[in-house]
Amino acid sequence: MAGIRLHVVAPLVLVAVSKCARDPSAYVRKCAAYALPKLHDLHQEESTSLEEFVDVLLGDNSPGVVGAAATAFKSVCPNNLLLIAKNFRRLCETLPDVEEWAQIVLIEILLRYVVARHGLVKESTMLCSDSQSDKDSAAHGNMTYNNCGDGGEPSDFKLNRMMLRYYIEGQDRYLSQSGYITGNNNKLDGLVLTTSQNDDVDILLQCTSPLLWSQNSAVVLAAAGVHWIMAPREDVQRIVKPILFILRSSHAAKYVMLCNILVFAKTVPSLFAPHYEDFFICSSDFYQHRTLKLEILSTIATESSIPAIFEEFQDYIKDPNRRFVVDTVAAIGLCVQRLPTVATTCLEGLLALVVYESSVNNSCQIDGEVGVLVQAIMSIKAIIKLDPASHEKVIVQLAHKLEIIKEPAARAMIIWIFGEYNSVGKIIPRIVPNVLKYLAWSFVSEELEAKLQILNAAAKVVLCTHGDDLSTFKKILGYIVELAKADYNYDVRDRARVVAKIIPCNDIFPSQDNTSCSLEDTKVHHELVEAMFSGNIPPMSYSANRLRIYLPGSLSQIVTHAAPGYTPLPKPSFLLTDGLGLREFEHGAVEHAGRTEPSNSFDVNDSDNSSGSSMDESGSVYDSRGSIFSLADSEATGFASDTNNNVQNLGAEDNQEVPLVHLSDASVDHGQTRENNEGNTSMFTSTDLTGLMSTSALESWLDQQTTLPSVHNSEQSSSARISFNDHNIEVKPKLHVLLDPANSNGLRVQYAYSSEVSTISHLLTCVELFFENVTTEILTNIAVKDGDSSGNVEPVDEVPKETTSLLSSNEMTKVLPVEEIASLHPQQTIKKLLQVHFGHHVVPLKLAVFCNGKRHSTKLWPEIGYFLCPWSIDMKAFLDMERQLPGMFEYAKRCTYKDHIQELEHKEQTALQHDKILIVSQSIASKMLSNANLHLVSMDMPISFRIDDASGLCLRFSSQILSSSKLCLITIIAEGKLSGTLDVTIKINSEDTVFALNLLNRVATFLQ
């Protein structure tokens, strides 16, 4: 249904998702979670309601549902990291059990939350100091870095900082800053840092460590990305072997992993330096794999590994794939730049390769040979640039090779080398006249790039020469300029005119106006010439276009640009500065802990205070205004007495009398109720459905009646109502048979659930037992104990202190020992209070009744209505809390009620006059209080001119669930005539979905 991309179907799908999200089947809840992204894409205006579904599904106990909820979170509300806060630790613990592809999404979400909540780890690789980088480099081969910036920082440390800023700011924001042009924008001022000892950071690293050995390569890469960003530098080593193991998998996975390894190796070469053999080329490798491996090898090469790497390169040069050979030659040049000690050996081999390639290129044209020749000269050029004086002979040999090298690009590079270093050493200046004359002689037959370099080289020679040869060089330059002015290419002609203007030209071009050379001795002229022809080229800074600077494991890392959907990491610790909701949540939790008194029996040790990320699971992230709120945590407070005392402050001030009857304008109160009901049911019904089906048809399809009949829908003949706050309701507990006398030798045991709340534990339910002897003989040794145990019961006078520890476990049901009845005389009845702990509100408890030494097995059936305790509040507080539990925390059902008819007929037979609507209200309240442990908040009765009209009757009950300490609000709304069957709508607001649905069905059952 979610795949049907029609806006008119969206409300129907929303209602279906609201039901399936609470389904007992984990598979159904998982499907509901997967439907949320499609629904959000189709109906984005319902994002708030969808976020509520995501919030609940993230707290699910099923790993499959959690994985699907994580996928929905990334699509629906990826920036609402407050949803992750209260479930962070449980999500980390569930992470290894989530399905593989959902693990990738969940790892990314958890990483973003930790960065947003605590910031980056100061011991991580991304923030390591340059001194540490130097130590590691020295430990792995004394690698040198010659591209240091102005501050003397190694280039890999600058790369670290640039990558870190890209991780956080993204490409657009980084490039928009002015410092990008100058290369000085890598300062990380004001960055909030944390340590690796942080609880949340530690648990994230621990939970992702096992995933490094996952069978899914994407999961391995996602886990490695977390360690790369958040782990201390000394712990990053653990990611090396898992990601190297992935290189043995499929070609696609190998390519992705090599792209990420290249980034890791450029940042910390020492990580992969000992494993250089894993990057040797295999015959089955694709060209893309080979290119990446060559770049990695040239990055991690050390003094100890470079001989073995060069032996491999010698074999690679013989490969028939000439593109691969070109890349190998380029890798040789990179290796020499990292390790200048091997420059001599490499230059000899490259010169031999130049001679061989030039001879092959001249004899026959082979595809790729030109590229090998050009790349070999480019590598020689890069090596010479490191130390031109020590490679003087190499420059001379290249100049001699101009006669046999015919490739224009190769000739242009050799001419550039000659012109750039024409004054270096003692040998080169001797050959400059002959080489310059040769270039002037061959100028006409050269290609475009060679002609431009000849002009530049001649100009550089003139600028660098001082002495007798200067006049000769000027004449040669004048000859070349004259030839260039007549060239057919306009670039060559333009270059000739520029050279003629800026080079000292009085002796060369006497016919020109001397005013054109009047700036010869000026400072501006000198700086211009130096800038154009000097070899002082500023060091190149890292460019984002040449690096893979996106988050590890992302698609953008592979395609080297920001792919659609890519988002950088959140601003570190922005939840502390911008997350006001989180701060309010923590502040409210502290205040609540300060004003409540901890229970002696059920203390909860908060191990999350140091990190502050793990929030109370009983709280909710949503209320009707979108703010953060938290229900009272009764697990850490006294349950019996403190509950009522704390709640009294919600409704009225201390020492203030509450009036018995409230008279109010129905238009105001009903309007508030109407607004509440409409807001709470907006997610279930929509006007878009009116053209498709009726509301009843929708409800029958869903098998759930979701619409709520509020007071405004029925006819109102008045504008006021009466609200009773003091009630005299008759409570009639229902007796059940526990043991029949026919099966127990004359002992009848009946039970009724008590409204009394246990003072020992909030997990205990109180049951009143009535033992009656229906025989003429005395019954002895009567006791009740757990049916799963055996043996006789030892009589006790008081509850042992170990009871609390026994009841703290939910593994099995428990029965508190009851004092044994020594003897029961004929027709005598004795009452005992039994306190039991049900494992579940639908599973019966096995009991064993002992009488006269015999054991009688029976079952005690749970009553879900007594799994509650009264929660005393006034109507204002009730309405406020009801607004905080809208949408998916609201459950409704319709039924009929007719028990009042008999009471009305009985009252009519008496001579006294009675208010019928009051009798009906008391009847419904009595039925509710007799079957559930509730607090009656108010009975709202409309004032109507029609005596038989019950429309608008509303009863409100409040309670708290014993097991979870979550609030449970019940509203009963009646419609119809007093003399007939009433249509009753039951509405329950609670965060405990399963309990609320079961309670809803139970209430509908005993009201009918």
Side-chain angles (χ1 to χ4, degrees):
M1 288 179 61
I4 303 176
R5 300 186 58 82
L6 295 176
H7 288 279
V8 72
V9 182
L12 184 63
V13 179
L14 188 61
V15 178
V17 169
S18 68
K19 178 182 178 182
C20 295
R22 302 187 300 266
D23 195 89
S25 173
Y27 181 76
V28 175
R29 299 196 300 273
K30 176 181 176 182
C31 294
Y34 279 127
L36 291 177
K38 300 179 182 178
L39 191 58
H40 176 262
D41 185 48
L42 184 64
H43 212 56
Q44 295 187 2
E45 58 271 16
E46 294 290 341
S47 58
T48 302
S49 300
L50 298 180
E51 287 183 16
E52 297 180 20
F53 289 116
V54 174
D55 183 23
V56 172
L57 292 172
L58 282 174
D60 201 279
N61 295 325
S62 172
V65 178
V66 171
T71 304
F73 175 88
K74 186 176 180 181
S75 300
V76 176
C77 49
N79 297 323
N80 192 359
L81 296 174
L82 291 176
L83 297 183
I84 307 298
K86 72 175 191 176
N87 298 312
F88 173 75
R89 290 181 176 272
R90 197 165 50 77
L91 290 175
C92 289
E93 295 171 358
T94 312
L95 179 60
D97 299 325
V98 176
E99 60 183 0
E100 293 178 345
W101 293 109
Q103 284 176 342
I104 304 169
V105 178
L106 188 55
I107 288 174
E108 179 185 357
I109 294 173
L110 295 176
L111 173 62
R112 292 180 181 275
Y113 167 76
V114 172
V115 173
R117 180 69 179 88
H118 303 287
L120 298 169
V121 177
K122 62 182 179 181
E123 303 94 347
S124 65
T125 301
M126 312 306 299
L127 294 169
C128 65
S129 63
D130 51 350
S131 60
Q132 181 66 30
S133 296
D134 293 340
K135 292 179 182 179
D136 291 346
S137 300
H140 292 276
N142 296 323
M143 293 176 287
T144 60
Y145 300 89
N146 296 290
N147 296 328
C148 295
D150 297 336
E153 295 173 335
S155 57
D156 65 338
F157 183 58
K158 283 190 173 182
L159 176 62
N160 287 6
R161 292 191 298 181
M162 190 192 74
M163 290 178 60
L164 180 60
R165 293 199 60 178
Y166 253 82
Y167 286 171
I168 299 173
E169 298 175 358
Q171 182 178 13
D172 296 338
R173 182 179 174 187
Y174 181 84
L175 297 180
S176 64
Q177 299 178 6
S178 59
Y180 173 75
I181 304 300
T182 60
N184 296 323
N185 63 333
N186 291 325
K187 295 182 179 180
L188 303 173
D189 297 332
L191 188 65
V192 180
L193 303 178
T194 184
T195 64
S196 58
Q197 303 301 321
N198 183 283
D199 290 345
D200 285 352
V201 175
D202 184 60
I203 192 175
L204 177 62
L205 295 176
Q206 288 182 6
C207 293
T208 52
S209 293
L211 300 182
L212 290 172
W213 297 103
S214 172
Q215 295 181 353
N216 190 317
S217 56
V219 176
V220 176
L221 186 55
V226 172
H227 285 73
W228 175 252
I229 297 174
M230 300 301 294
R233 186 182 180 92
E234 59 271 12
D235 293 341
V236 178
Q237 186 69 30
R238 70 178 64 174
I239 72 174
V240 175
K241 290 185 178 180
I243 61 180
L244 289 179
F245 184 78
I246 301 299
L247 297 181
R248 299 177 175 86
S249 59
S250 64
H251 293 293
K254 183 190 297 185
Y255 176 75
V256 173
M257 193 60 69
L258 285 172
C259 291
N260 287 271
I261 291 176
L262 178 60
V263 177
F264 299 157
K266 284 184 177 295
T267 308
V268 187
S270 59
L271 276 179
F272 299 93
H275 308 278
Y276 64 92
E277 293 182 351
D278 291 300
F279 301 101
F280 285 169
I281 308 301
C282 301
S283 59
S284 60
D285 287 341
F286 292 165
Y287 171 74
Q288 293 79 3
H289 301 157
R290 298 184 176 193
T291 303
L292 291 171
K293 285 186 174 182
L294 287 173
E295 191 170 358
I296 294 172
L297 284 173
S298 62
T299 303
I300 65 175
T302 61
E303 293 284 356
S304 58
S305 63
I306 195 64
I309 293 176
F310 277 168
E311 288 183 4
E312 286 288 318
F313 284 173
Q314 290 177 5
D315 292 335
Y316 301 162
I317 291 176
K318 303 174 183 177
D319 193 271
N321 187 344
R322 307 313 291 172
R323 290 178 59 195
F324 173 54
V325 175
V326 170
D327 295 331
T328 304
V329 175
I332 294 175
L334 294 176
C335 289
V336 176
Q337 294 179 54
R338 287 181 57 83
L339 302 170
T341 55
V342 296
T344 303
T345 304
C346 292
L347 284 174
E348 293 177 358
L350 290 174
L351 285 173
L353 182 63
V354 167
V355 174
Y356 172 77
E357 295 295 334
S358 60
S359 62
V360 172
N361 189 34
N362 293 333
S363 60
C364 59
Q365 186 68 27
I366 301 178
D367 292 340
E369 295 297 338
V370 173
V372 176
L373 175 62
V374 173
Q375 185 59 57
I377 298 177
M378 289 180 64
S379 297
I380 294 174
K381 172 185 170 183
I383 297 173
I384 292 174
K385 187 177 178 180
L386 298 176
D387 188 7
S390 61
H391 305 303
E392 181 184 4
K393 294 182 180 180
V394 177
I395 299 175
V396 174
Q397 293 182 35
L398 286 177
H400 289 166
K401 298 295 188 297
L402 282 173
E403 295 181 356
I404 61 174
I405 296 177
K406 303 302 180 182
E407 173 59 31
R411 291 178 62 86
M413 278 188 290
I414 295 176
I415 295 171
W416 181 91
I417 295 173
F418 163 76
E420 186 70 21
Y421 307 111
N422 65 88
S423 61
V424 174
K426 298 180 180 180
I427 303 177
I428 297 178
R430 298 176 184 175
I431 66 169
V432 167
N434 295 331
V435 175
L436 198 58
K437 291 177 182 179
Y438 170 78
L439 295 176
W441 170 78
S442 63
F443 181 84
V444 178
S445 60
E446 298 287 350
E447 296 293 335
L448 173 62
E449 53 265 45
K451 288 181 179 180
L452 295 176
Q453 291 301 327
I454 291 174
L455 279 169
N456 293 343
K460 292 177 182 179
V461 170
V462 171
L463 290 174
C464 297
T465 303
H466 303 283
D468 300 336
D469 295 333
L470 179 59
S471 59
T472 304
F473 294 154
K474 285 184 177 182
K475 292 180 181 180
I476 297 175
L477 176 59
Y479 175 73
I480 295 174
V481 168
E482 291 295 330
L483 292 176
K485 286 183 177 181
D487 196 85
Y488 66 89
N489 189 283
Y490 61 87
D491 287 333
V492 177
R493 297 195 299 269
D494 291 343
R495 181 72 58 87
R497 283 191 289 269
V498 171
V499 171
K501 289 290 183 181
I502 64 176
I503 299 297
C505 50
N506 290 335
D507 297 337
I508 305 176
F509 311 106
S511 62
Q512 291 187 357
D513 187 4
N514 293 337
T515 59
S516 63
C517 303
S518 60
L519 299 177
E520 176 181 347
D521 297 328
T522 64
K523 183 178 180 181
V524 175
H525 179 268
H526 179 73
E527 292 179 354
L528 179 62
V529 174
E530 288 292 330
M532 293 183 63
F533 294 102
S534 67
N536 298 326
I537 302 175
M540 295 180 60
S541 61
Y542 286 107
S543 173
N545 298 326
R546 298 184 292 110
L547 296 173
R548 302 178 185 271
I549 37 71
Y550 299 93
L551 289 174
S554 62
L555 176 62
S556 302
Q557 181 79 292
I558 308 303
V559 299
T560 65
H561 65 81
Y566 174 81
T567 54
L569 290 175
K571 181 180 178 182
S573 297
F574 88 92
L575 286 182
L576 293 178
T577 56
D578 300 331
L580 298 180
L582 180 62
R583 305 178 82 179
E584 291 176 3
F585 185 98
E586 294 175 346
H587 180 68
V590 172
E591 287 184 350
H592 175 76
R595 67 171 180 263
T596 55
E597 198 172 345
S599 171
N600 294 329
S601 301
F602 293 88
D603 292 334
V604 179
N605 295 326
D606 186 5
S607 60
D608 304 333
N609 290 337
S610 59
S611 62
S613 67
S614 211
M615 298 185 177
D616 183 8
E617 294 184 1
S618 65
S620 175
V621 183
Y622 290 95
D623 63 3
S624 59
R625 294 158 296 181
S627 61
I628 305 298
F629 74 95
S630 177
L631 299 179
D633 184 7
S634 58
E635 290 182 354
T637 61
F639 184 81
S641 60
D642 292 347
T643 298
N644 295 333
N645 295 335
N646 292 336
V647 177
Q648 288 175 358
N649 297 327
L650 296 174
E653 298 179 357
D654 295 339
N655 301 324
Q656 180 180 355
E657 295 183 0
V658 180
L660 176 63
V661 178
H662 291 278
L663 293 177
S664 59
D665 187 1
S667 62
V668 177
D669 293 332
H670 292 164
Q672 184 179 6
T673 305
R674 176 164 61 253
E675 181 184 355
N676 185 25
N677 291 336
E678 288 175 355
N680 293 343
T681 58
S682 62
M683 64 178 294
F684 296 107
T685 59
S686 175
T687 56
D688 295 339
L689 294 175
T690 55
L692 294 179
M693 59 177 68
S694 64
T695 304
S696 59
L698 175 62
E699 293 170 356
S700 63
W701 178 77
L702 292 174
D703 193 22
Q704 178 179 356
Q705 297 173 337
T706 57
T707 57
L708 302 176
S710 56
V711 178
H712 74 284
N713 291 329
S714 60
E715 288 188 54
Q716 296 298 325
S717 57
S718 67
S719 61
R721 69 177 186 180
I722 298 178
S723 179
F724 281 83
N725 288 329
D726 191 11
H727 323 287
N728 187 14
I729 308 300
E730 182 182 2
V731 179
K732 304 174 183 177
K734 186 177 180 180
L735 286 176
H736 307 272
V737 177
L738 180 65
L739 190 63
D740 190 87
N743 300 326
S744 59
N745 298 327
L747 176 64
R748 176 186 289 124
V749 183
Q750 294 178 309
Y751 69 94
Y753 283 91
S754 173
S755 60
E756 180 180 353
V757 178
S758 174
T759 58
I760 299 175
S761 169
H762 65 273
L763 299 176
L764 293 176
T765 304
C766 296
V767 183
E768 294 179 345
L769 298 180
F770 301 91
F771 299 87
E772 182 182 0
N773 186 356
V774 299
T775 66
T776 57
E777 299 178 356
I778 298 176
L779 301 178
T780 60
N781 300 330
I782 301 174
V784 178
K785 66 173 299 183
D786 189 358
D788 292 331
S789 61
S790 60
N792 295 328
V793 180
E794 297 180 0
V796 294
D797 295 332
E798 60 181 5
V799 179
K801 296 181 179 179
E802 292 79 4
T803 302
T804 300
S805 61
L806 292 175
L807 293 173
S808 61
S809 176
N810 293 329
E811 296 179 358
M812 56 189 303
T813 56
K814 300 289 184 181
V815 178
L816 251 63
V818 183
E819 182 182 0
E820 181 180 323
I821 302 176
S823 62
L824 186 63
H825 295 277
Q827 307 306 319
Q828 182 183 4
T829 301
I830 296 179
K831 174 183 173 182
K832 291 289 184 181
L833 183 65
L834 179 67
Q835 299 186 45
V836 297
H837 174 212
F838 287 96
H840 197 273
H841 53 262
V842 296
V843 179
L845 177 64
K846 295 180 181 180
L847 294 179
V849 180
F850 293 85
C851 180
N852 293 337
K854 295 183 179 180
R855 175 190 174 111
H856 305 280
S857 299
T858 184
K859 292 182 179 180
L860 179 65
W861 290 92
E863 178 61 58
I864 191 173
Y866 290 90
F867 284 61
L868 303 166
C869 73
W871 183 269
S872 180
I873 55 176
D874 64 358
M875 188 170 65
K876 181 179 181 301
F878 182 95
L879 295 176
D880 290 340
M881 293 184 180
E882 187 180 42
R883 281 192 293 270
Q884 293 174 356
L885 296 170
M888 63 181 307
F889 298 127
E890 181 177 286
Y891 322 95
K893 191 170 186 178
R894 286 178 180 173
C895 67
T896 58
Y897 183 74
K898 55 186 177 181
D899 290 356
H900 66 289
I901 299 177
Q902 185 178 359
E903 296 185 18
L904 290 175
E905 293 176 352
H906 176 71
K907 297 293 184 179
E908 290 177 355
Q909 296 176 1
T910 64
L912 299 176
Q913 295 294 329
H914 299 277
D915 190 346
K916 290 185 179 181
I917 194 167
L918 180 59
I919 295 174
V920 173
S921 301
Q922 292 176 345
S923 175
I924 296 176
S926 176
K927 178 69 72 171
M928 292 291 297
L929 297 178
S930 299
N931 290 273
N933 201 6
L934 305 171
H935 168 71
L936 178 57
V937 178
S938 67
M939 294 190 302
D940 295 346
M941 296 177 291
I943 300 175
S944 175
F945 291 104
R946 289 181 293 181
I947 301 177
D948 198 34
D949 189 9
S951 299
L953 177 62
C954 180
L955 290 84
R956 298 179 176 90
F957 303 87
S958 61
S959 60
Q960 194 177 36
I961 303 173
L962 293 176
S963 59
S964 62
S965 301
K966 294 180 179 179
L967 198 61
C968 183
L969 306 177
I970 304 176
T971 304
I972 307 294
I973 302 174
E975 287 183 329
K977 295 183 178 181
L978 296 174
S979 58
T981 302
L982 297 177
D983 292 328
V984 177
T985 298
I986 311 160
K987 184 183 70 173
I988 297 181
N989 294 80
S990 178
E991 288 184 298
D992 195 330
T993 302
V994 178
F995 185 90
L997 291 174
N998 283 278
L999 179 61
L1000 181 66
N1001 294 327
R1002 178 56 184 160
V1003 172
T1005 300
F1006 65 67
L1007 283 181
Q1008 287 181 342

